Structure formats: structure tokens, C-alpha cells
């Protein structure tokens, strides 16, 4: 039998119609990393006389083209370039046999694939309206022309050239130049064979010819800091929270129970991963009755001491605690436990790390081109250029990304005031007025309006919350409603009431004997309580850096401090607005919070002598949340003046505050706070005449909370004696430094 013979490609004519070798200009640009369209010169291209094959593989000994049962070795043109002309009538589906150190590897040629971004993607990118930007840019595992690999795409309009480096090319990006997709400023390359878990960065040639290695701004996964590479990610998580999502939008958030436990995940129980937290955090929060958790920033950040507020990876959950799927698992478990998940979101600024966003492609890109507008005066960071449509797109899509990809229920937007004002923390001469001569940052206003409108349109049931410390008009007004200032509303769902926080904490820090001189610090909040939809926050910012923990702000001895704290918490839960409490404060931790070791859980250990004192405060928080959720009067009309009535707001000499909350049907809850250290017997309060008797539903002085167990008659029946402008009144025994709630019996 004759021996089988491998078919050979017909010989290339000695004098081809054209030379397949690259010209010197293209070679120089590819070697320098400044070629804007390598696909036009690399790969396979029909030319007179056949098909020209050109390959750029530095450090390669030999390259052979393989297709069907044919093989043709290319000529070594030096410096990693190989070429050949084959007498073919069309470009075949070919592969490359590449030889390194005497070993041949068969692989695909990245330069035989069509672009992965279509005209619609590029159109939306150009307009700054690509609401699913994470699907268009960044790294994504795809199958193209029957081949699986990873598409890399990055926005770098000022770059002379962009190449991708990673483990697949031994971090030498020379042989993987990306193509520029025209005026979009996007560079793209599909790399066959690269898959999930691969590390990568972009090597960018700046306008001055220098090079910089950058992490992917759109990376969905990163290395664990201090390492800075991006990682190709593929999600395998299967969500189990369909029931939660189906009912999330049933009731508007400002008319629903909303009691928030703020958590710094890395220090809540130090050392726990996302998946380990998923076994403990939902159970703990459910036991205490909070409706939501708020996570301090989870997006990737290089310095743990920033608590996540200086973000470098806006699309990646921090790798310190696990993978993106691990974080999804945590959110999923919280939802399955009936707990909503808010997260802090930081679109105001970003750090200057040379591998991240700062002067990303050699010139100001994400930051403002004007140094006075770019540099944040307080934090040493750079402010985003909200007037650039691609930057707005990056941030608006990021907000949508967290809500849609991670099922986040709300975004608490950090540092809104620093975004809204051009003169924020700047002296005269350090800022330039807007086109109307004002101090408002019109670009930031437009961005916040667009972000809120987009999130509310795309993500039913999601709430946005502004951390805004000024009297900006209309933070929670719809964007299409103009106010007295002439601006449309910013469109947030809720706003942190920083004024209430500062005033009420200032009042509580005074010795009771002096509180009569500061009575207005408690009552003033009701002057503006309905100007916005408010959250009452006792956040991480109030229990660090010398401000002392919540219980340590209170005057008096240990008993009085705890009594003040309990009375304050019950007053806060009854006050119009939603509640937020930072971890550790729910059990009266005495020390300030530290991200290095988290809450002092040992205070609850039964072996500790004062554990019952701390457990008592935690028991009160649990009972506050239980009563709160069961009492629509405390949340149904938070933003409606008809839901609140003062009984007595001017009893400064007594340090007493009393008011009614009413639900949508008019059913009342009576809250009475005695913030003096005296027991007040037979304290008369005017009440509605249509309630036959009042029953005490909560008393912060109960012995099981650590109080003195001072109690009065229960139920309490009104007397026909007019008082406080009302036809009937009741007489109560008010415990010292305590708040009581009463409902119709």
C-alpha cells in the first residue's frame, strides 16, 4: 500500500504580485505601540496574487499557517514579524502553529476576527447614553466566529495606541495591539483562548509617546489589594431572590418601614468572607428587626483605611472578601431573609493612583481638564468631569450596574454637597462661577438628575439616598418639578437629615440641668421636617475620629449614659423620618469604631460582668424595630405633615417632649420623652378625646433594658380636663431619662 502523503500548499511564486511583508512604517508603529488599526495589516488579507498572511509574535521562532489539511510556514521578517503569500482565492478559517523554544503551540490569530462592538453600541457610547456600558466595555468572555475567547474594550481617546497585557502573553503586551474604533475613542481586541480568571491590564501609549500600564476602569473583578491587576470574570451565580424582587416595589419606600443597620463588611466580624458573612449577617439583622442593611462602599479601593470611599474599581466588589459571585451570594441571602440591601456609592471623586483613572490615557479624561475643578481640596483626590458625556455615562451605567447585576435595593450617594457647589471647600479665587455667575455646579446637577431618573426608570423598587449636608432646594423632588431656585429636583428618594443629627446629638450631650437652654435643638427639626424625604442617620462618621461612640457622647455616669441612649433611640424611632444606626451602637459600645477590629462583640459575652447592660440596649433596639414595623403611624406618613402633631413642644423647663404620630387612617401613637433625671409623677398631657384608653407599648426604663423599672398606671384613661389646647388629658408617670410610647388600648 502506498504511504499516505500530507497535502501541501502550492508553492508561492518566487516573485509574488505584492510583497506580503509589512512596510517599515507599520512595523515601527506596531513595535512602538502606536498603531491605531493593527487588524488592517495583521492577519489574512486578499491581495493581488492570493492571500497575504502577516503575524506579529515577538520571541517566536517560527509561525505556520494551518487550515483544513494544509500547512504553510511563514517567512521570518525579523523583530517578531512573519509573512507569506498563499495562492488562495479567499481567506480560509485558519489557525497558527507558533513555535517557542522548540515547542509548537497551535492557536487562533486574534487579527482574523471582526469587531465585537456594533454600530448601536458605538452610537450610544458616542452619545453618552449606553445604560449597559459594562456589556460594551471591559473584558467579556464571548464566542466569535465559533471561537471562544475574551473581548477587551477600553475608552482611551487620547491614546496613540493601546495594547493588552496579561498572563496569556507573559505581561509583554507588544504582540497584542488593540484597534481604535474611530471617533468613539474605544480600543478593542478579541483574544481567542483567554478565559475566566485571567489577569490583565492595558498598556497605553500616551500622546507624548511614554507608556503607562493601567487597570481596566470597567473591570468586574480585581486582584486582592495591594495587587492591582484586573481579572476576566464570568458569573455563575443563580439567584434565589425572585420573591423579594417581585414585591420590592409594592409600596413606595417613603411610605414603608425603613430601619437601616449600617455595616462595614470588612470589620463587622473581621476575617469573614462574603460567604461567611452570608451565614451570620442576615440572621443577626433579622433578629434585631432591621428592614435594611447599608453597606459602606464595597467597590474596589486600594487603601482599607479609606473605608472604601476612595474607589479605583467602580465595577468590581472588593476582592478582600471574595469574588463578585460571593458578593452576589451575600445579597441573595439577605434578600431571602427579607432584608433590603443598600450600598454606599461614591461618584464624587477618585484617587490619584497611577495605575487607575487619573490621567488615564495621558491627559485628563475622567477628571476635569481645569486643575482647579479637578483637585478635591479636602481629600487629595480628583473630581469627575460631570460635563463630559462619556464620564456621565460611566457613572450612570455604574449605578444601574450595581442595581441590576447585584440586585442592590438602594444607593446611598456619598458627598453630594461636594458635587453640587463649585466653591465647596474653596476660597475666593480658587473657583470659577458657572455660566450664570452662580456657585452651583450645573454639570453635577444634570448628572445627578440623569442618574436618578435612569435608576428609577430601570429598577423598580430601588431607592436613591443623598448624603447632602446643605439646604439645597429639592434634593428629593422629582427631576421634572422646578422649585423656587429655578432648578428641577435632583430626583433622590431620600436624603440624610444631617441637621437633625447634629442638633439632636448636641442636645443629648448636654447635662440635663443645661438642656432647657438647648430645647430648640430638638424641636427645630420639625420646622423643616417635610421639606425633603428624610433619613435620620447615626452613621459611622459620628463614632470615629474623636467624636466618641454614641453612648459615650451621653452625659452622666454609666447608668445615666445608657438611659440617655435608650431614651434618644426611642425618640429617634418615633420622630418623622427613616432610621439608620451604625454597627456597635445597637449594644452601646463605649469605644469608637475602628476598621481594624470592628465592634467590641466581647461586651455581649455572658462572662463579662457588664454584659447585661449592653444586652439590655440591644434588646431595646430589637423591641423598637418590632414595635416600629407593627405600627404604621411611625412610617406611613413620614413625609406628610398630617402624620405629626405636637402635644407639647415647649416644656423646656421639664426637658419633656410629647407628640402624636398618625397613620393613613388617623390611628395615633403617643411618644413622650422625659430627658431629665427626675421621675415626673402625674404629668398631664392633652390627648385626643376619641381615644378611650392608652396602653404603654414601649418604655425605655424597663428593668430588662437596664432601667429603673419606673412604671405608671396601664392602661391610662383620659380625663375630661382640657390641657395643651385639647379637650381631654391624661396623667402619666414619666420615668427619668426615658421615652415611652402609648397606643390606643
Amino acid at each position: 500500500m502506498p504511504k499516505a502523503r500530507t497535502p501541501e500548499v502550492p508553492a508561492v511564486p518566487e516573485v509574488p504580485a505584492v510583497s506580503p511583508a509589512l512596510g517599515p512604517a507599520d512595523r515601527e508603529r506596531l513595535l512602538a505601540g502606536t498603531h491605531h488599526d493593527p487588524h488592517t495589516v495583521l492577519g489574512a488579507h486578499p491581495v493581488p496574487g492570493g492571500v497575504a498572511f502577516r503575524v506579529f509574535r515577538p520571541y517566536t521562532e517560527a509561525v505556520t499557517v494551518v487550515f483544513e489539511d494544509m500547512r504553510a510556514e511563514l517567512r521570518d521578517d525579523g523583530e517578531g514579524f512573519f509573512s507569506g503569500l498563499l495562492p488562495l482565492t479567499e481567506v480560509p478559517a485558519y489557525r497558527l502553529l507558533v513555535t517557542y523554544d522548540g515547542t509548537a503551540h497551535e492557536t487562533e490569530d486574534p487579527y482574523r476576527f471582526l469587531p465585537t462592538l456594533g454600530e448601536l453600541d458605538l452610537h450610544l457610547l458616542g452619545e453618552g447614553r449606553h445604560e449597559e456600558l459594562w456589556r460594551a466595555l471591559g473584558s467579556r468572555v464571548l464566542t466569535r466566529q465559533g471561537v471562544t475567547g475574551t473581548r477587551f474594550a477600553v475608552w482611551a481617546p487620547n491614546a496613540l495606541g493601546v495594547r493588552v497585557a496579561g498572563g496569556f502573553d507573559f505581561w509583554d503586551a507588544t504582540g497584542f495591539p488593540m484597534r481604535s474604533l474611530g471617533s468613539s475613542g474605544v480600543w478593542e481586541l478579541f483574544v481567542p483562548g483567554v478565559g475566566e480568571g485571567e489577569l490583565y491590564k492595558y498598556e497605553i501609549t500616551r500622546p507624548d509617546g511614554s507608556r503607562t500600564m493601567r487597570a481596566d476602569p470597567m473591570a468586574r473583578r480585581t486582584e486582592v489589594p495591594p495587587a492591582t491587576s484586573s481579572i476576566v470574570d464570568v458569573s455563575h451565580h443563580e439567584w434565589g431572590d425572585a420573591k423579594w424582587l417581585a414585591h420590592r416595589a409594592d409600596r413606595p419606600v417613603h411610605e414603608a418601614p425603613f430601619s437601616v443597620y449600617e455595616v462595614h463588611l470588612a470589620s463587622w466580624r473581621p476575617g469573614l468572607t462574603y460567604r461567611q458573612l452570608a451565614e451570620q449577617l442576615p440572621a443577626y439583622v433579622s433578629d434585631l428587626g432591621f428592614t435594611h442593611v447599608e453597606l459602606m462602599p464595597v467597590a474596589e479601593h486600594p487603601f482599607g483605611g479609606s473605608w472604601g470611599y476612595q474607589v479605583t474599581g467602580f465595577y468590581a466588589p472588593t476582592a478582600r472578601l471574595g469574588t463578585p459571585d460571593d458578593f452576589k451570594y451575600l445579597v441573595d441571602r439577605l434578600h431571602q431573609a427579607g432584608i433590603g440591601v443598600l450600598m454606599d456609592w461614591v461618584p464624587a471623586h477618585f484617587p490619584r493612583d497611577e495605575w487607575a483613572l487619573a490621567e488615564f490615557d495621558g491627559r485628563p479624561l475622567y477628571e476635569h481638564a481645569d486643575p482647579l475643578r479637578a483637585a478635591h481640596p479636602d481629600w487629595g483626590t480628583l473630581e469627575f468631569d460631570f460635563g463630559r458625556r462619556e464620564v456621565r455615562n460611566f457613572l450612570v451605567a455604574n449605578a444601574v450596574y450595581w442595581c441590576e447585576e447585584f440586585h442592590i435595593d438602594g444607593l446611598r450617594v456619598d458627598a453630594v454637597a461636594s458635587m453640587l457647589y463649585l466653591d465647596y471647600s474653596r476660597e475666593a479665587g480658587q473657583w470659577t462661577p458657572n455660566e450664570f455667575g452662580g456657585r452651583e455646579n450645573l454639570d453635577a446637577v444634570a448628572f445627578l438628575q440623569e442618574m436618578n431618573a435612569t435608576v428609577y426608570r430601570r429598577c423598580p423598587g430601588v431607592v436613591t439616598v443623598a448624603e447632602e449636608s446643605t439646604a439645597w432646594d429639592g434634593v428629593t423632588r422629582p427631576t421634572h418639578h422646578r422649585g423656587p431656585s429655578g432648578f428641577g429636583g435632583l430626583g433622590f428618594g431620600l436624603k440624610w437629615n444631617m441637621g437633625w443629627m447634629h442638633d439632636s446629638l448636641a442636645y443629648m450631650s448636654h447635662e440635663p440641668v443645661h438642656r432647657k437652654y438647648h430645647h430648640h435643638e430638638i424641636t427645630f427639626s420639625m420646622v423643616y421636617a417635610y421639606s425633603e424625604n428624610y433619613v435620620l442617620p447615626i452613621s459611622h462618621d459620628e463614632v470615629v475620629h474623636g467624636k466618641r461612640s454614641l453612648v459615650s457622647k451621653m452625659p452622666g455616669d454609666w447608668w445615666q449614659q445608657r438611659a440617655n441612649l435608650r431614651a434618644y433611640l426611642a425618640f429617634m424611632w418615633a420622630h418623622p423620618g427613616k432610621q439608620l444606626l451604625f454597627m456597635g451602637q445597637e449594644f452601646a459600645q463605649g469605644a469608637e469604631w475602628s476598621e481594624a477590629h470592628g465592634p467590641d462583640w466581647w461586651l455581649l459575652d455572658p462572662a463579662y460582668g457588664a454584659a447585661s447592660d449592653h444586652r439590655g440596649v440591644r434588646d431595646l433596639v430589637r423591641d423598637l424595630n418590632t414595635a416600629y414595623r407593627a405600627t404604621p403611624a411611625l412610617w406611613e406618613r413620614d413625609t406628610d405633615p398630617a402624620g405629626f402633631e405636637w402635644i407639647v413642644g415647649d416644656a423646656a423647663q421639664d426637658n419633656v417632649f410629647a407628640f402624636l404620630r398618625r397613620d393613613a387612617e388617623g390611628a395615633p401613637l403617643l411618644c413622650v420623652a422625659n430627658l431629665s433625671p427626675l421621675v415626673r409623677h402625674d404629668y398631664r398631657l392633652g390627648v385626643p378625646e376619641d381615644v378611650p384608653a392608652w396602653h404603654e407599648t414601649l418604655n425605655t426604663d424597663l428593668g430588662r433594658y437596664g432601667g429603673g423599672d419606673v412604671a405608671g398606671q396601664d392602661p391610662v384613661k383620659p380625663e375630661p380636663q382640657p390641657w395643651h389646647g385639647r379637650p381631654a388629658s391624661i396623667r402619666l408617670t414619666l420615668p427619668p431619662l426615658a421615652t415611652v410610647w402609648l397606643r390606643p388600648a
Side-chain angles (χ1 to χ4, degrees), residues 675-703:
L675 300 180
S676 76
L678 305 175
V679 179
R680 299 198 180 277
H681 297 282
D682 292 328
Y683 197 86
R684 189 174 291 276
L685 294 169
V687 293
E689 60 181 341
D690 58 348
V691 177
W694 295 85
H695 168 65
E696 183 181 281
T697 61
L698 186 129
N699 181 342
T700 66
D701 190 55
L702 292 183

Side-chain angles (χ1 to χ4, degrees), residues 299-645:
E300 193 59 272
H301 50 282
F303 176 50
S306 76
W307 310 332
Y309 290 98
Q310 295 198 6
V311 179
T312 48
F314 281 81
Y315 283 78
T318 179
R320 292 170 174 86
L321 307 181
T323 68
D325 271 4
D326 294 338
F327 180 60
K328 289 179 180 179
Y329 180 77
L330 170 60
V331 175
D332 206 351
R333 289 294 298 272
L334 285 161
H335 282 170
Q336 291 173 40
I339 299 162
V341 182
L342 314 176
M343 61 170 270
D344 282 10
W345 186 56
V346 192
H349 63 120
F350 57 91
R352 297 173 180 264
D353 299 75
E354 62 181 9
W355 48 268
L357 296 183
E359 292 193 354
F360 181 75
D361 59 4
R363 291 178 181 166
L365 188 65
Y366 289 92
E367 67 271 40
H368 203 283
D370 181 351
L372 290 179
R373 289 280 297 273
H376 196 290
D378 291 343
W379 303 318
T381 53
L382 296 169
E383 298 184 9
F384 281 103
D385 181 0
F386 301 110
R388 186 161 190 166
R389 59 182 180 271
E390 297 94 341
V391 175
R392 282 203 312 272
N393 195 167
F394 174 80
L395 293 171
V396 171
N398 187 242
V400 173
Y401 170 76
W402 288 104
C403 297
E404 293 190 355
E405 293 292 316
F406 291 92
H407 293 195
I408 295 296
D409 303 297
L411 301 172
R412 178 267 195 186
V413 183
D414 182 63
V416 171
S418 75
M419 301 165 65
L420 291 175
Y421 297 98
L422 295 168
D423 62 347
Y424 184 88
S425 286
R426 292 177 170 91
E427 302 296 331
Q430 295 181 333
W431 62 282
T432 304
N434 63 35
E435 60 188 282
F436 303 109
R439 57 196 283 253
E440 301 86 2
N441 187 336
L442 303 181
D443 292 335
V445 171
F447 156 67
L448 290 170
Q449 291 174 328
E450 181 182 348
M451 181 277 297
N452 281 312
T454 305
V455 167
Y456 276 98
R457 171 170 50 81
R458 290 187 61 118
C459 310
V462 167
V463 62
T464 59
V465 186
E467 189 237 351
E468 204 283 315
S469 55
T470 74
W472 183 278
D473 172 49
V475 173
T476 58
R477 190 170 60 239
T479 57
H480 58 283
H481 288 179
R482 292 195 174 275
S485 64
F487 288 105
L490 295 183
F492 285 94
L494 298 168
K495 172 183 172 176
W496 274 21
N497 193 336
M498 315 292 277
W500 172 87
M501 178 189 68
H502 289 301
D503 289 347
S504 62
L505 289 178
Y507 175 90
M508 294 302 300
S509 68
H510 292 297
E511 291 285 349
V513 68
H514 301 304
R515 285 177 175 167
K516 61 185 176 182
Y517 303 112
H518 301 273
H519 199 75
H520 65 283
E521 292 174 353
I522 289 289
T523 59
F524 180 64
S525 61
M526 291 312 303
V527 173
Y528 62 87
Y530 302 104
S531 61
E532 302 281 3
N533 304 336
Y534 282 117
V535 174
L536 312 179
I538 302 298
S539 73
H540 62 279
D541 273 335
E542 301 311 306
V543 295
V544 290
H545 299 330
K547 294 182 181 179
R548 299 175 293 172
S549 71
L550 188 54
V551 73
S552 297
K553 296 177 191 287
M554 305 298 167
D557 59 21
W558 176 232
W559 191 95
Q560 292 172 319
Q561 285 182 310
R562 288 181 292 119
N564 273 300
L565 173 60
R566 294 192 304 268
Y568 178 66
L569 290 175
F571 175 83
M572 171 183 173
W573 254 250
H575 190 285
K578 310 306 181 182
Q579 296 78 37
L580 179 141
L581 189 65
F582 185 60
M583 65 182 195
Q585 312 315 301
E586 77 275 16
F587 57 83
Q589 174 174 313
E592 287 186 338
W593 168 64
S594 164
E595 78 279 358
H597 65 257
D600 291 334
W601 297 107
W602 57 269
L603 294 171
L604 300 169
D605 189 334
Y608 173 59
S612 61
D613 296 345
H614 297 278
R615 288 173 176 267
V617 175
R618 190 175 66 172
D619 289 344
L620 171 66
V621 170
R622 180 187 297 109
D623 289 352
L624 281 171
N625 278 323
T626 300
Y628 168 78
R629 296 176 81 155
T631 310
L634 292 175
W635 42 263
E636 206 165 41
R637 283 175 148 181
D638 270 329
T639 60
D640 182 352
F644 178 90
E645 300 172 30

